[in-house]
Amino acid sequence: MDPLLLAQATLNGLMLGGVYSLMAVGLSLIFGVMRIINFAHGELMIWGMYLAYWLFTLGGLDPLLSLPLTTTAVFGLGYAIQRVLVNRILEAPEEMQVLLLLGVSLILTNGALILFGPDSRRAPTAYALSTLWLGPVILDVARLLAFVLAMALTGGLVLFLRRTDLGRTLRAAADSRVGALLTGVDVERVYPIAFGIGAACAAAAGALTIPFLPFAPSGGLPLTLTSFIVVILGGMGSLPGAALGGLIVGVTESLGAVLLVSSLKQVVSFIIVIGILLLRPRGLLGGRA
């Protein structure tokens, strides 16, 4: 195997892994605060992609510059989903929570199909095909920008949770719902915010990828599955774990596409997840805030 090809695959996987990290951090935040597994996470990401795409197509606004609009809109969507639907079944059996969120994912997928059609789309930005040389390997400018912004947003979210009053309130609710209630935290107000932030992370990750990855309404389920792999690998509820897991999954998928075939690229990730679950059931960084 050509070492240069492996180096190129590793670099490409690392940059895509940054986006995976941001996507999974949102899912991990929702689970960490509410102990809810959001089966509609990938579909929220798809809606973020479409919002960024139409802002680019109709308004000429670059997907990277439209991030504040895209994330705000999907934050509102996530906030409404939690407030109107999820909040009603927080104390319900887990299977009811799963069914509800699977229903939400179906509604979002079919809503996107009705509004946007089944065809794949991609935003042909001015830098979509630009490249830079880093020694013997090539840097895709669109992937590089997505990686840098995804890492910056992930770091910003961690700082927000650790340095702001609202962030500390979210962490308190994540540590103990009863304890938070006893200290006067209004968890009914906190939960929709956590869900909205998680959805906004997914939307931001989606918007960052549309210059170099085609997307369609049916793409939500694979994205949700990838988010689950990343979160399980890093540790459920652990934001640093989700960030690390995203990078690992991105690199393993990219190397898997080179060493195996493209359709089997996720096999390596599944094997790693199974190994982690056997040797370290809480994930690589499970239990860390």
Side-chain angles (χ1 to χ4, degrees), residues 156-195:
L157 177 60
V158 172
L159 286 177
F160 165 76
L161 292 174
R162 294 187 174 178
R163 300 291 176 83
T164 67
D165 291 339
L166 180 57
R168 284 188 281 269
T169 302
L170 288 167
R171 293 174 63 200
D175 287 340
S176 170
R177 183 175 187 270
V178 175
L181 284 170
L182 291 175
T183 56
V185 173
D186 184 359
V187 294
E188 298 293 329
R189 183 181 71 89
V190 166
Y191 284 173
I193 294 174
F195 202 98

Coordinates of all heavy atoms in Angstrom, one line a residue, residues 156-195:
G156 N -15.9 26.3 21.5 CA -16.7 27.4 22.0 C -17.9 26.8 22.9 O -18.2 27.4 23.9
L157 N -18.4 25.7 22.4 CA -19.5 25.0 23.2 C -18.9 24.6 24.6 O -19.6 24.8 25.6 CB -20.1 23.9 22.5 CG -21.2 23.1 23.2 CD1 -22.3 24.0 23.5 CD2 -21.6 21.9 22.4
V158 N -17.8 24.0 24.6 CA -17.2 23.5 25.9 C -16.9 24.7 26.8 O -17.2 24.7 28.0 CB -15.9 22.8 25.6 CG1 -15.2 22.5 26.9 CG2 -16.1 21.5 24.8
L159 N -16.4 25.8 26.2 CA -16.2 27.0 27.0 C -17.5 27.6 27.5 O -17.6 28.0 28.7 CB -15.4 28.1 26.2 CG -14.0 27.9 25.9 CD1 -13.4 28.9 25.0 CD2 -13.2 27.8 27.3
F160 N -18.5 27.6 26.7 CA -19.9 28.1 27.1 C -20.4 27.3 28.3 O -20.9 27.8 29.2 CB -20.8 28.0 25.9 CG -22.3 28.1 26.3 CD1 -22.8 29.3 26.5 CD2 -23.1 26.9 26.3 CE1 -24.2 29.4 26.9 CE2 -24.4 27.0 26.7 CZ -25.0 28.3 26.9
L161 N -20.2 26.0 28.2 CA -20.7 25.1 29.3 C -19.9 25.3 30.6 O -20.5 25.1 31.7 CB -20.7 23.7 28.9 CG -21.6 23.3 27.8 CD1 -21.4 21.8 27.3 CD2 -23.1 23.4 28.2
R162 N -18.7 25.7 30.5 CA -17.8 25.8 31.7 C -17.7 27.2 32.2 O -17.4 27.4 33.4 CB -16.4 25.2 31.4 CG -16.5 23.8 31.1 CD -15.1 23.2 30.9 NE -15.2 21.7 30.8 CZ -14.1 20.9 30.6 NH1 -12.9 21.5 30.5 NH2 -14.3 19.6 30.4
R163 N -17.9 28.2 31.4 CA -17.6 29.6 31.8 C -18.9 30.5 32.0 O -18.8 31.6 32.5 CB -16.7 30.3 30.8 CG -15.3 29.6 30.7 CD -14.5 29.7 31.9 NE -13.3 29.0 31.8 CZ -12.2 29.4 31.2 NH1 -12.2 30.6 30.7 NH2 -11.1 28.7 31.2
T164 N -20.0 30.0 31.6 CA -21.2 30.9 31.7 C -22.2 30.3 32.7 O -22.2 29.1 33.0 CB -21.9 31.0 30.3 OG1 -22.5 29.7 29.9 CG2 -21.0 31.4 29.2
D165 N -23.1 31.2 33.2 CA -24.1 30.7 34.2 C -25.0 29.7 33.6 O -25.4 28.7 34.2 CB -24.9 31.9 34.7 CG -24.0 32.8 35.6 OD1 -23.0 32.4 36.1 OD2 -24.3 34.0 35.7
L166 N -25.5 30.0 32.3 CA -26.4 29.0 31.7 C -25.7 27.7 31.4 O -26.3 26.6 31.6 CB -26.9 29.6 30.4 CG -27.8 28.7 29.5 CD1 -29.1 28.3 30.4 CD2 -28.3 29.4 28.3
G167 N -24.4 27.7 31.0 CA -23.7 26.5 30.8 C -23.5 25.7 32.1 O -23.7 24.5 32.1
R168 N -23.2 26.4 33.2 CA -23.1 25.7 34.5 C -24.5 25.1 34.9 O -24.6 24.1 35.5 CB -22.6 26.6 35.6 CG -21.1 26.9 35.4 CD -20.5 27.6 36.6 NE -20.8 29.1 36.5 CZ -19.9 29.9 35.9 NH1 -18.8 29.5 35.4 NH2 -20.2 31.2 35.8
T169 N -25.6 25.8 34.6 CA -26.9 25.3 34.9 C -27.2 24.0 34.1 O -27.7 23.1 34.6 CB -27.9 26.4 34.5 OG1 -27.7 27.6 35.3 CG2 -29.3 25.9 34.9
L170 N -26.8 24.0 32.8 CA -26.9 22.8 32.0 C -26.1 21.7 32.6 O -26.6 20.5 32.6 CB -26.5 23.1 30.6 CG -27.4 24.0 29.7 CD1 -26.7 24.4 28.4 CD2 -28.7 23.2 29.4
R171 N -24.9 21.9 33.0 CA -24.1 20.9 33.6 C -24.7 20.4 34.9 O -24.6 19.2 35.2 CB -22.7 21.4 33.8 CG -22.0 21.7 32.5 CD -20.6 22.3 32.8 NE -19.7 21.4 33.5 CZ -18.7 21.9 34.2 NH1 -18.4 23.2 34.3 NH2 -17.9 21.0 34.8
A172 N -25.3 21.3 35.7 CA -25.9 20.9 36.9 C -27.1 20.0 36.7 O -27.3 18.9 37.3 CB -26.4 22.1 37.7
A173 N -27.9 20.3 35.7 CA -29.0 19.5 35.3 C -28.5 18.1 34.8 O -29.2 17.1 35.0 CB -29.9 20.1 34.2
A174 N -27.4 18.1 34.1 CA -26.8 16.8 33.6 C -26.3 16.0 34.8 O -26.5 14.7 34.7 CB -25.7 17.1 32.6
D175 N -25.7 16.6 35.8 CA -25.2 15.8 36.9 C -26.3 15.1 37.7 O -26.2 14.0 38.0 CB -24.3 16.7 37.8 CG -23.0 17.1 37.1 OD1 -22.6 16.4 36.2 OD2 -22.4 18.1 37.6
S176 N -27.3 15.9 38.0 CA -28.4 15.3 38.8 C -29.7 16.2 38.6 O -29.6 17.4 39.0 CB -28.0 15.3 40.3 OG -29.1 14.9 41.1
R177 N -30.7 15.6 38.1 CA -32.0 16.4 37.9 C -32.5 16.8 39.3 O -32.9 18.0 39.5 CB -33.0 15.6 37.1 CG -34.3 16.3 36.8 CD -35.2 15.4 35.9 NE -36.3 16.2 35.5 CZ -37.5 16.2 36.2 NH1 -37.6 15.5 37.3 NH2 -38.5 16.9 35.7
V178 N -32.5 15.9 40.2 CA -33.1 16.2 41.5 C -32.2 17.2 42.3 O -32.8 18.2 42.8 CB -33.2 14.9 42.4 CG1 -33.6 15.2 43.8 CG2 -34.1 13.9 41.7
G179 N -30.9 17.0 42.2 CA -30.0 18.0 42.8 C -30.2 19.4 42.2 O -30.2 20.4 43.0
A180 N -30.4 19.4 40.9 CA -30.6 20.7 40.3 C -31.9 21.4 40.7 O -32.0 22.6 41.0 CB -30.6 20.6 38.7
L181 N -32.9 20.5 40.8 CA -34.2 21.1 41.3 C -34.1 21.6 42.7 O -34.7 22.7 43.1 CB -35.3 20.0 41.2 CG -35.8 19.6 39.9 CD1 -36.7 18.3 39.9 CD2 -36.7 20.8 39.3
L182 N -33.4 20.9 43.6 CA -33.2 21.3 45.0 C -32.5 22.6 45.1 O -32.7 23.3 46.1 CB -32.5 20.2 45.8 CG -33.4 18.9 46.0 CD1 -32.5 17.8 46.7 CD2 -34.6 19.2 46.8
T183 N -31.6 22.9 44.1 CA -30.8 24.1 44.2 C -31.5 25.3 43.5 O -30.9 26.3 43.3 CB -29.4 23.9 43.6 OG1 -29.5 23.4 42.3 CG2 -28.6 23.0 44.5
G184 N -32.7 25.0 43.0 CA -33.5 26.1 42.4 C -33.4 26.2 40.9 O -33.9 27.2 40.3
V185 N -32.8 25.2 40.2 CA -32.6 25.2 38.8 C -34.0 24.9 38.1 O -34.6 23.9 38.5 CB -31.5 24.3 38.3 CG1 -31.5 24.2 36.8 CG2 -30.2 24.7 38.8
D186 N -34.4 25.7 37.2 CA -35.7 25.4 36.5 C -35.3 24.5 35.3 O -35.0 24.9 34.2 CB -36.2 26.7 36.0 CG -37.6 26.5 35.3 OD1 -38.1 25.4 35.2 OD2 -38.2 27.5 34.8
V187 N -35.4 23.2 35.6 CA -35.0 22.2 34.5 C -36.0 22.2 33.4 O -35.6 21.9 32.2 CB -34.9 20.8 35.1 CG1 -33.8 20.7 36.1 CG2 -36.2 20.4 35.7
E188 N -37.2 22.7 33.6 CA -38.2 22.7 32.5 C -37.7 23.8 31.5 O -38.1 23.7 30.3 CB -39.6 23.1 33.0 CG -40.2 22.0 34.0 CD -40.4 20.7 33.2 OE1 -40.7 20.7 32.0 OE2 -40.3 19.6 33.9
R189 N -37.0 24.8 31.9 CA -36.5 25.8 31.0 C -35.2 25.4 30.4 O -34.8 25.7 29.3 CB -36.3 27.1 31.8 CG -35.8 28.3 31.0 CD -35.6 29.5 31.8 NE -34.4 29.4 32.7 CZ -33.2 29.8 32.3 NH1 -33.0 30.3 31.1 NH2 -32.2 29.7 33.2
V190 N -34.4 24.6 31.2 CA -33.1 24.2 30.7 C -33.1 23.1 29.6 O -32.4 23.2 28.6 CB -32.3 23.7 31.9 CG1 -31.0 22.9 31.4 CG2 -31.9 24.8 32.8
Y191 N -34.0 22.1 29.7 CA -34.1 21.0 28.8 C -34.3 21.5 27.3 O -33.6 21.0 26.4 CB -35.2 20.0 29.2 CG -34.8 19.2 30.4 CD1 -35.7 18.3 31.0 CD2 -33.5 19.2 30.9 CE1 -35.4 17.5 32.0 CE2 -33.2 18.4 32.0 CZ -34.1 17.6 32.5 OH -33.7 16.8 33.6
P192 N -35.3 22.4 27.1 CA -35.4 22.8 25.7 C -34.2 23.5 25.1 O -33.8 23.4 23.9 CB -36.6 23.7 25.7 CG -37.4 23.4 26.9 CD -36.3 22.9 27.9
I193 N -33.5 24.2 26.0 CA -32.3 24.9 25.5 C -31.2 23.9 25.2 O -30.5 24.0 24.2 CB -31.8 25.9 26.7 CG1 -32.8 27.0 26.9 CG2 -30.4 26.4 26.3 CD1 -32.4 27.9 28.0
A194 N -31.1 22.9 26.0 CA -30.1 21.8 25.7 C -30.4 21.1 24.4 O -29.5 20.9 23.6 CB -30.0 20.8 26.8
F195 N -31.7 20.8 24.2 CA -32.1 20.2 22.9 C -31.9 21.1 21.7 O -31.4 20.6 20.7 CB -33.6 19.8 23.0 CG -34.0 18.7 22.1 CD1 -34.1 17.3 22.5 CD2 -34.2 18.9 20.7 CE1 -34.4 16.3 21.7 CE2 -34.6 17.9 19.9 CZ -34.7 16.6 20.3

